[in-house]
Amino acid sequence: MTPIQIPKLPEPISYGQKLLLIGSCFTEHIGNALAEHKFDVLQNPHGILFEPFSVHHSLIAYIENKKYKEEDLFFLNELWNSWHHHSRFSDMNKEVVLQEVNNSVEQAHEFLKNADWVIITLGSAFSYVLTEENPEKAKVGLHVANCHRAPGQWFFKKLLGIDEIIAAMDNAYHRLRAFNPKAKIIFTVSPVRHLRDGVIANNRSKARLLEAVHHMVDKFPDIYYFPAYELVIDVLRDYRFYDIDMAHPNYPATEFVLEKFTTSCIDEASLQIMKEVKQITIARKHRPMHPHTNAHKQFLKVHYERAQALAAKYTFLNLQDEIQYFSDAL
């Protein structure tokens, strides 16, 4: 492997802190791992976002507690959709869509008030912009977060310039600092290869993201960079670490990146607690061949008591689901 030095954060992440994660699908690998270890996380309240303008819009929406209205939605393929949200919010009933997007924004607004960390993963510098071909002429020029399988002629595909990306991230940073002065930011660039753009275009896109992110890191003392992209592209550097599509890092690759993230970004005390929490979460996932045996009942009893003891020792851990599971199964 190519050696890589990842400096430890000067004030690493610890249990009891709040972490908001925003960005590409690789964000959710980190977020799911942290959530499984019972960190207090909120991830992608707008759904998966790939490009900087969408990330910027979502952060501003959380800060302002934006209320989406009917005119913010559009009807396509029998569903009501939002250009600023992932398709997981889409529904045949527009009232349902509005309720879900607004509930999500309100939750993010309250969470972000006291967040200690915002982890942003940028996936692509390509942005899709609405053209005059789309039915809603008033929204021409809008950078969309999701195309929702709309006709291709509705969009202009634009490779954002470095200055445009910096301007969006700089504005989001200053708005965040005014809203929550204690929040620190970790930027990552997704190692997922956007091969539909072509290899050359994908590399140009990633290069622009990297340049913009490092501009922000160099400019502000409370912004940091975690090299998820470099760990997969330059350290692992082998197709056996990709899924069959040759674009997405596979399980061993994501586990490798997560291991590096925990050792470089999480404090020593929390690393020890993570080991104890992992024993509980693994035990909950266990599916016995013979669930009615005394041996399995003893297994459940041991982990029920262990989860209770851990929750009592570390009051910031929410192990209620695990405790309830072991209790119900006894």
Side-chain angles (χ1 to χ4, degrees):
M1 291 184 179
T2 303
I4 184 171
Q5 299 298 322
I6 307 176
K8 190 90 172 178
L9 290 177
E11 296 180 24
I13 296 167
S14 64
Y15 277 106
Q17 294 184 327
K18 291 180 174 291
L19 296 86
L20 176 68
L21 297 99
I22 305 174
S24 79
C25 52
F26 202 78
T27 299
E28 306 209 335
H29 288 296
I30 298 174
N32 290 340
L34 291 170
E36 187 167 293
H37 285 88
K38 302 304 177 180
F39 282 88
D40 190 0
V41 302
L42 179 64
Q43 55 179 321
N44 276 339
H46 267 59
I48 293 170
L49 306 171
F50 294 100
E51 53 92 19
F53 279 20
S54 297
V55 170
H56 169 267
H57 175 88
S58 66
L59 275 171
I60 302 305
Y62 309 150
I63 291 168
E64 296 179 346
N65 198 12
K66 177 180 171 64
K67 300 300 180 186
Y68 286 87
K69 302 175 182 177
E70 182 177 335
E71 55 264 30
D72 295 312
L73 306 182
F74 68 98
F75 191 72
L76 179 70
N77 298 324
E78 302 181 78
L79 299 172
W80 288 96
N81 312 274
S82 164
W83 288 123
H84 293 298
H85 291 78
H86 189 266
S87 56
R88 70 179 171 89
F89 288 96
S90 300
D91 194 90
M92 295 178 70
N93 187 324
K94 64 184 173 185
E95 281 74 25
V96 169
V97 177
L98 287 173
Q99 181 177 4
E100 290 188 357
V101 299
N102 285 324
N103 286 347
S104 184
V105 168
E106 185 172 354
Q107 181 189 15
H109 174 77
E110 294 300 323
F111 191 92
L112 189 55
K113 279 183 183 178
N114 300 301
D116 299 277
W117 293 93
V118 178
I119 301 175
I120 300 173
T121 303
L122 300 177
S124 174
F126 280 102
S127 183
Y128 286 81
V129 186
L130 287 177
T131 68
E132 293 183 356
E133 296 294 325
N134 90 88
E136 299 180 279
K137 304 300 182 184
K139 295 181 180 178
V140 171
L142 179 70
H143 293 256
V144 305
N146 194 293
C147 293
H148 298 288
R149 295 185 294 123
Q153 63 268 27
W154 287 16
F155 308 100
F156 167 68
K157 183 178 178 181
K158 179 182 180 182
L159 180 58
L160 299 175
I162 295 171
D163 289 344
E164 290 180 288
I165 301 169
I166 290 173
M169 294 299 98
D170 191 271
N171 179 260
Y173 169 80
H174 285 290
R175 292 292 302 274
L176 177 61
R177 291 293 294 166
F179 181 69
N180 177 357
K182 75 172 182 177
K184 297 182 285 291
I185 297 175
I186 298 174
F187 273 110
T188 70
V189 172
S190 171
V192 176
R193 305 162 73 223
H194 291 247
L195 296 179
R196 286 187 301 177
D197 298 327
V199 173
I200 294 172
N202 174 70
N203 287 341
R204 291 183 68 199
S205 165
K206 299 291 187 183
R208 295 186 183 199
L209 296 178
L210 289 165
E211 187 62 30
V213 164
H214 284 288
H215 174 92
M216 297 293 294
V217 172
D218 292 341
K219 186 176 180 180
F220 300 108
D222 48 0
I223 298 181
Y224 307 95
Y225 177 71
F226 175 71
Y229 178 80
E230 291 82 356
L231 284 169
V232 176
I233 301 297
D234 289 313
V235 177
L236 296 180
R237 200 176 179 81
D238 195 306
Y239 276 117
R240 72 176 181 270
F241 293 109
Y242 282 88
D243 278 339
I244 194 169
D245 64 1
M246 298 299 177
H248 288 78
N250 60 16
Y251 179 78
T254 55
E255 285 298 295
F256 177 77
V257 173
L258 288 169
E259 178 189 348
K260 297 298 183 184
F261 179 84
T262 55
T263 55
S264 65
C265 297
I266 296 176
D267 69 10
E268 293 298 327
S270 296
L271 290 175
Q272 295 306 311
I273 299 172
M274 287 175 70
K275 293 177 183 178
E276 297 182 70
V277 172
K278 189 172 184 178
Q279 292 178 345
I280 302 297
T281 57
I282 289 176
R284 181 184 175 177
K285 293 177 182 177
H286 177 63
R287 293 293 178 265
M289 292 183 65
H290 305 289
H292 302 296
T293 61
N294 288 330
H296 181 62
K297 290 179 181 179
Q298 181 62 24
F299 171 86
L300 294 170
K301 183 175 183 293
V302 166
H303 284 91
Y304 171 71
E305 293 172 352
R306 185 176 292 174
Q308 280 194 316
L310 200 59
K313 184 178 180 181
Y314 304 113
T315 56
F316 47 77
L317 288 179
N318 183 0
L319 292 168
Q320 194 56 46
D321 288 346
E322 284 70 23
I323 291 170
Q324 190 66 49
Y325 170 80
F326 293 127
S327 174
D328 291 345
L330 279 172

